[in-house]
Amino acid sequence: MGVKDTVTKDYMNDPRIFADAFNYLLYSGRQVILPEKLHSIDTTMIGIPYGADGTVIPVQKFRDNMKCLSAMTDEHAAYMILGVEDQSDIHYAMPVKDMVYDSLHYASQVEEAARSHRREVGKKVSSGEYLTGFYKEDRLIPVITLVVYFGPDKWDAPVCLHEMLSVTDEEILAFVPDYKINLIAPEGMSDEELDMFRTSLREVLMFIKYSKDKKQLKEHVENDPAFKNVEQKAGQVINVLTGVDFKMNECEEYVDMCQAMREIREDERREGREEGRKEGLKEGIEASCRETILRMLSMKVFSYEQIAEVNAASVEEVKKLAEQKME
């Protein structure tokens, strides 16, 4: 796993950040999902689909972050399985990837229901219930997957299965079930949408959104008080994903992004001045050497080799200046 994937996975595994992302997706920022109601579950999924000849084919997939939620909505308990897929790069087959993950979760629930029924004794069931192991009154827990794209570019990949198909005939597509992804991509989000987040995820996504526009980035960071106290883990995500490379004190809980940006700009100015000084010095030396070489050529007492050695130049350069002088 790459560094970007590691830091984003660790960041999104925080129940506060995880809940914030889903509160944005499901409830427009309203604090319905509480971090303490989230419980991490195994991200390894093993499905057992059946081949055409009845053979069992084990399939193993690994998700980035999975949590089980028990929440109250409209005075009723709602149970959901929530998954986050972190993307530092655009994935052009994301609908299929999410569809496979979600399908495996549903298959696992069906299998779990069948296992629990096999332990029951004496219950009368229909032949269909007996064969499938899934009873008429059984219900599945909803699985919702959210893709969080941590890149500054526009998400130009398909957002549904139909966009991936070669067929565009609506009559045919009407019989092909579509599968849409749930996506957070900062480039296409307004500042009002970003303000729906209640954690540092807001500052992370906003910084990424404007990371390619230094003027707008400077304006947002300097004028937004939230950037003066960005938690350490969020600062690390920004550092790794955008490559700004600001200094971080690991002993401090928060990072002042305003000060960090000022230090970056000062370092850039200092490097620019030093580079300009070196370039000016280089040009001055070259100009001085050129005049010395021309004077020595005019005296006609030195060989090309001697002139080159005195002026730390190549014989070819001296010859070239001699030819130009003769024209």
Side-chain angles (χ1 to χ4, degrees):
M1 185 181 293
V3 176
K4 290 182 179 181
D5 293 329
T6 301
V7 297
T8 54
K9 182 176 180 178
D10 181 54
Y11 179 64
M12 289 305 303
N13 192 45
D14 186 322
R16 297 176 303 108
I17 308 301
F18 195 99
D20 196 23
F22 276 96
N23 278 324
Y24 165 82
L25 175 70
L26 301 176
Y27 304 109
S28 300
R30 289 187 291 117
Q31 300 301 286
V32 176
I33 300 174
L34 303 178
E36 58 268 24
K37 295 294 184 180
L38 293 169
H39 307 283
S40 294
I41 57 179
D42 189 1
T43 60
T44 306
M45 299 177 299
I46 300 179
I48 309 179
Y50 293 89
D53 57 355
T55 56
V56 177
I57 309 170
V59 177
Q60 189 173 35
K61 296 290 183 181
F62 297 89
R63 306 206 69 167
D64 289 339
N65 282 294
M66 292 297 300
K67 297 186 187 296
C68 184
L69 167 69
S70 171
M72 294 299 294
T73 59
D74 299 328
E75 299 182 355
H76 296 285
Y79 297 94
M80 291 179 278
I81 295 175
L82 307 177
V84 167
E85 289 299 311
D86 314 312
Q87 291 295 136
S88 54
D89 296 302
I90 297 173
H91 194 303
Y92 289 92
M94 205 73 215
V96 171
K97 181 180 180 182
D98 279 3
M99 182 171 61
V100 170
Y101 282 157
D102 293 351
S103 297
L104 286 175
H105 269 292
Y106 286 123
S108 296
Q109 290 185 53
V110 171
E111 179 61 26
E112 181 58 37
R115 277 198 297 268
S116 67
H117 291 321
R118 283 196 290 268
R119 293 192 290 267
E120 298 174 352
V121 179
K123 181 170 181 173
K124 187 176 180 180
V125 297
S126 68
S127 59
E129 290 174 319
Y130 178 78
L131 287 172
T132 62
F134 195 78
Y135 291 1
K136 183 178 179 179
E137 66 272 14
D138 287 337
R139 294 294 180 268
L140 299 174
I141 299 174
V143 179
I144 302 175
T145 298
L146 172 60
V147 178
V148 182
Y149 171 49
F150 287 98
D153 298 320
K154 180 180 179 180
W155 181 275
D156 60 356
V159 294
C160 67
L161 181 63
H162 280 189
E163 292 182 4
M164 296 181 64
L165 302 179
S166 59
V167 175
T168 57
D169 188 326
E170 292 296 333
E171 292 183 329
I172 295 176
L173 291 178
F175 293 93
V176 181
D178 200 0
Y179 193 91
K180 298 180 180 180
I181 66 171
N182 302 304
L183 176 68
I184 290 178
E187 190 275 341
M189 300 173 71
S190 66
D191 287 355
E192 289 73 22
E193 289 177 302
L194 291 170
D195 285 339
M196 293 180 186
F197 295 101
R198 306 294 181 85
T199 65
S200 61
L201 186 56
R202 170 186 177 272
E203 286 74 65
V204 170
L205 295 175
M206 188 169 288
F207 197 101
I208 291 172
K209 175 183 177 179
Y210 293 109
S211 60
K212 285 190 169 183
D213 188 329
K214 288 187 177 182
K215 183 178 180 181
Q216 287 207 59
L217 179 62
K218 176 178 178 293
E219 185 177 313
H220 277 78
V221 171
E222 291 185 350
N223 296 328
D224 190 335
F227 279 104
K228 291 190 68 66
N229 290 286
V230 176
E231 57 190 22
Q232 179 82 215
K233 191 172 288 187
Q236 184 183 22
V237 172
I238 291 173
N239 222 356
V240 172
L241 293 179
T242 63
V244 291
D245 196 26
F246 54 80
K247 300 178 182 67
M248 294 177 62
N249 187 341
E250 295 183 1
C251 297
E252 296 179 358
E253 188 176 356
Y254 295 94
V255 178
D256 184 345
M257 294 296 299
C258 304
Q259 179 61 29
M261 293 298 290
R262 283 194 290 270
E263 290 175 358
I264 290 172
R265 288 197 297 274
E266 181 55 37
D267 288 344
E268 288 176 346
R269 284 195 290 267
R270 189 181 301 111
E271 290 174 3
R273 288 195 296 269
E274 180 64 20
E275 189 63 31
R277 188 189 70 81
K278 290 179 178 178
E279 191 63 31
L281 184 60
K282 179 182 176 183
E283 290 177 357
I285 292 173
E286 288 178 348
S288 174
C289 287
R290 179 186 176 88
E291 292 302 317
T292 303
I293 292 171
L294 289 172
R295 284 199 299 271
M296 293 180 73
L297 286 169
S298 299
M299 296 171 68
K300 298 181 179 179
V301 294
F302 300 104
S303 67
Y304 290 159
E305 288 76 12
Q306 290 173 322
I307 296 174
E309 184 178 355
V310 170
N311 292 279
S314 67
V315 174
E316 289 71 20
E317 288 174 326
V318 174
K319 288 181 178 180
K320 188 174 180 180
L321 278 175
E323 292 171 358
Q324 292 176 355
K325 186 173 182 297
M326 292 174 62
E327 292 178 353

